Amino acid sequence: MPYEWITPDLGDATSPQHELHLWPHRSLPKRGFAGFIGGTFLLLLLPLYPAIGSPVLWGLLPFLMGTLWLLYWAIQRSYRDGDVLEELRIWEDRVRLERHARHRATQDWEANPHWIEVVLHATDGPVPNYVTLRGAGREVEIGAFLSDEERVDLYHDLSRYLPARG
């Protein structure tokens, strides 16, 4: 699952009681990226093989290499856009949610855990099973990039530590 509960440092009085890290799922890990680009390059060379030694080669080559470059750029862009980390820290007297995204300012929210409510919007949100935290006069989303089933699991996990409704 693209989220994990971090074990707190029990010896440190300032460390949170519970800490959760969430990130978007990667269907193509960076290890497989080089193999995918290499395989695509070889497949794009197949139509060029019969054209070796003819002027048609020079007509096809820019389009095929442009396609490869565009695919490389699109996957790299996807990696950059998905470079998001949400951190939820729960202390006895406060809860803090931080969202770190590349080339954007860190978004944060803080509230008293006794007044926070975990809400599951089964059909009312922008995505099914939308999970929000409500408190301190605001309602903030958490884990919107997770799958439907993962958001339900997240809701149940959060409900163990914070009041739930939904």
Side-chain angles (χ1 to χ4, degrees), residues 103-119:
H103 302 300
R104 292 191 183 148
T106 299
Q107 297 172 315
D108 60 343
W109 169 82
E110 196 168 308
N112 186 319
H114 301 291
W115 298 103
I116 293 177
E117 186 176 31
V118 181
V119 183

Side-chain angles (χ1 to χ4, degrees), residues 8-88:
D9 181 11
L10 300 176
D12 186 7
T14 61
S15 68
Q17 294 174 329
H18 308 286
E19 185 170 348
L20 173 68
H21 291 191
L22 301 101
W23 59 89
H25 177 72
R26 295 274 188 222
S27 58
L28 178 64
K30 292 195 176 191
R31 289 189 316 252
F33 173 70
F36 177 74
I37 292 295
T40 303
F41 174 73
L42 292 175
L43 288 174
L44 287 174
L45 288 180
L46 286 176
L48 292 179
Y49 184 70
I52 292 177
S54 73
V56 174
L57 173 74
W58 300 108
L60 290 176
L61 189 62
F63 292 104
L64 295 177
M65 293 304 108
T67 301
L68 184 66
W69 179 84
L70 189 60
L71 181 65
Y72 176 86
W73 177 84
I75 293 173
Q76 288 297 326
R77 172 74 189 258
S78 174
Y79 282 136
R80 285 191 306 272
D81 289 348
D83 196 10
V84 175
L85 175 65
E86 290 183 356
E87 297 175 329
L88 178 70

